[in-house]
Amino acid sequence: MAKQILITGGAGFIGSHVVRLFVNNYPGYTIVNLDALTYAGNLENLADIASRPNYRFVKANILDADRLDQLFTEYGITDVIHLAAESHVDRSIVSPLDFVYTNIVGTVNLLNTARKHWAADYAKHRFYHISTDEVYGSLGEKGLFTETTAYAPNSPYSASKAASDHFVRAYHETYHMHTVVSNCSNNYGPYHFPEKLIPLFIHNILQRKPLPVYGDGLYTRDWLYVKDHARAIDLIFHQGNVGETYNIGGFNEWKNIDLVKLLCKLMDQKLGRKQGESEAMITYIKDRPGHDRRYAIDATKLNRELGWKPSVTFEEGLDETIDWYLNNNEWLEHVTSGAYQHYYESMYENR
Ligand code: NAD
Ligand code: DAU
């Protein structure tokens, strides 16, 4: 069946992988990528598919309810996959309100617009909200987050994502909208903005800059290759049960310091540097306030119901990721210099 899918945040890290997968795999769908192009949005992430006939880009903000309404009419939007968000925990500690506006108010704007346009028959439409494992708070030494773990967000970022999840749930319960939610662990891979741990450290190793490890470095994250997240989103969008939540994770826990040491070792090998050269740049710095000690996802439900599991090992994914950054120096340079923010003007504004 032909669909006109609105993907929000498609110029960001995960969104660009989701847009690419849908544009490539579903020529019969129209993919409308709506993105405000904040500092995290980069159209260079999608240069390879920008002129495909089933792809449209719209620069818009999810806080602009009138524009959303107009776009739903103009494109006859049938479904939403919602990724647009402020996504960096450290920024949320400095500017919590930005997270309240985009992550909470923006999500409610989208829900309201979908509700208005789809009210005649909700069953024909799907609203898929992409969320995070951080809504569950922090784990001790043992145990995993399941879909029934109680929410206990600790940062302004995770609190705003938790609130948006609750609104999506409420629109299903109250208005019977066909919603689905997934909560994923830490992603890594190509096009990851170098403010997050893995791309920041790849960048700093390349530049021989200090590697700033927060606190004692013994914080644990569960890493998933971004293309496996995009595959899970495809499956859940098409086959996930309405009103349900699916956890997505890599079954792949790493303490930050072990991950950083592995990255240093692999990068030294690839760059032909002396072993230990990059590791010597590790610098322990003041901890992140409210820093969650450990995340780990139980993705059994997604495996059991929809047959999903990660397709690459961490070693393969990390190897591919490092090679991608080494081969895409220009992308990294544009992102760190800010030049990527002129891409939109050169591509779209004078047409
Ligand atoms: P990102 O920061 O790389 O991208 C976010 C995108 O949203 C950017 O393109 C930005 O321009 C756009 N955006 C921000 N505010 C907007 C607004 N008001 N209107 C329209 N567009 C706006 O984020 P990401 O890491 O790709 O994460 C995408 C989604 O996945 C987020 O909802 C995040 O919470 C969730 N998530 C991320 C991870 C992860 O490890 N990165 C893990 C689980 C879930
Ligand atoms: O778990 C999913 C979440 O993963 C997503 O919802 C978020 O959008 C995404 O940013 C990510 O959040 P984290 O806070 O876990 O990711 P970050 O890359 O910022 O940090 C990973 C770990 O590394 C964390 O324990 C903090 C630590 N860290 C991070 C940076 C940037 C450092 O030690 N030094 C650093 O410079």
Side-chain angles (χ1 to χ4, degrees):
M1 205 180 84
K3 293 179 188 291
Q4 283 71 246
I5 306 175
L6 184 73
I7 300 186
T8 68
F13 165 48
I14 301 171
S16 62
H17 288 276
V18 175
V19 166
R20 179 175 294 98
L21 184 148
F22 273 74
V23 166
N24 283 334
N25 288 7
Y26 302 103
Y29 296 174
T30 302
I31 303 303
V32 181
N33 171 14
L34 181 157
D35 198 297
L37 298 184
T38 68
Y39 79 94
N42 182 354
L43 285 177
E44 291 182 24
N45 297 358
L46 291 165
D48 57 323
I49 57 125
S51 54
R52 292 290 180 79
N54 63 336
Y55 173 71
R56 308 274 183 283
F57 174 72
V58 177
K59 185 178 177 193
N61 196 309
I62 55 172
L63 290 171
D64 185 346
D66 291 340
R67 183 97 163 98
L68 292 179
D69 186 38
Q70 178 225 323
L71 289 169
F72 266 64
T73 304
E74 183 181 340
Y75 290 101
I77 297 299
T78 56
D79 301 83
V80 170
I81 304 179
H82 175 38
L83 295 104
E86 288 292 341
S87 69
H88 192 37
V89 173
D90 293 325
R91 286 180 191 258
S92 82
I93 295 165
V94 179
S95 310
L97 263 182
D98 292 344
F99 288 69
V100 171
Y101 291 133
T102 285
N103 297 0
I104 307 177
V105 180
T107 300
V108 176
N109 271 343
L110 265 175
L111 285 164
N112 282 341
T113 311
R115 191 180 148 221
K116 174 180 161 192
H117 285 259
W118 299 346
D121 190 353
Y122 286 131
K124 288 192 176 142
H125 307 279
R126 180 161 284 216
F127 189 104
Y128 181 5
H129 177 60
I130 308 299
S131 193
T132 171
D133 60 356
E134 299 202 9
V135 298
Y136 299 123
S138 187
L139 289 164
E141 291 282 306
K142 290 213 168 70
L144 300 169
F145 296 133
T146 71
E147 288 79 0
T148 55
T149 301
Y151 275 32
N154 291 317
S155 72
Y157 163 68
S158 52
S160 68
K161 290 297 290 188
S164 64
D165 293 9
H166 291 323
F167 271 100
V168 174
R169 178 191 155 86
Y171 274 60
H172 172 66
E173 295 296 328
T174 306
Y175 308 113
H176 310 297
M177 270 177 69
H178 281 212
T179 62
V180 65
V181 176
S182 58
N183 296 78
C184 188
S185 65
N186 287 63
N187 285 215
Y188 69 96
Y191 304 110
H192 204 181
F193 196 84
E195 64 183 352
K196 310 278 168 68
L197 181 75
I198 291 182
L200 176 72
F201 278 42
I202 291 177
H203 173 257
N204 285 12
I205 291 171
L206 279 170
Q207 302 284 321
R208 297 180 194 274
K209 285 187 173 168
L211 306 175
V213 171
Y214 297 164
D216 62 7
L218 299 177
Y219 293 84
T220 299
R221 296 292 182 265
D222 172 0
W223 294 94
L224 177 68
Y225 194 46
V226 63
K227 292 181 190 175
D228 278 329
H229 188 187
R231 284 177 47 246
I233 289 173
D234 181 7
L235 264 182
I236 295 167
F237 175 74
H238 287 101
Q239 295 173 39
N241 288 320
V242 169
E244 298 226 0
T245 286
Y246 293 87
N247 278 357
I248 313 171
F251 302 101
N252 178 41
E253 289 183 50
W254 284 79
K255 288 199 167 37
N256 290 343
I257 191 63
D258 295 334
L259 168 55
V260 167
K261 285 183 177 169
L262 173 64
L263 204 53
C264 289
K265 188 174 131 207
L266 294 173
M267 294 276 296
D268 282 349
Q269 271 164 14
K270 286 180 190 284
L271 294 168
R273 291 185 187 167
K274 223 170 57 231
Q275 275 303 319
E277 204 175 319
S278 297
E279 212 180 292
M281 299 302 282
I282 292 175
T283 313
Y284 289 91
I285 64 165
K286 192 159 161 273
D287 212 347
R288 170 188 279 174
H291 198 169
D292 287 329
R293 194 64 167 167
R294 175 172 166 256
Y295 302 146
I297 278 275
D298 180 352
T300 308
K301 175 178 172 183
L302 181 57
N303 175 260
R304 191 182 57 238
E305 291 189 8
L306 305 184
W308 176 91
K309 60 178 190 308
S311 70
V312 295
T313 64
F314 191 49
E315 289 68 23
E316 290 164 343
L318 202 54
D319 194 61
E320 245 185 68
T321 302
I322 297 171
D323 284 347
W324 186 86
Y325 279 92
L326 294 180
N327 294 326
N328 288 275
N329 209 18
E330 200 185 7
W331 182 90
L332 198 54
E333 251 172 46
H334 286 182
V335 167
T336 46
S337 71
Y340 72 105
Q341 288 177 316
H342 305 305
Y343 184 88
Y344 178 79
E345 295 135 50
S346 66
M347 280 292 286
Y348 294 89
E349 281 192 344
N350 298 320
R351 277 188 176 183

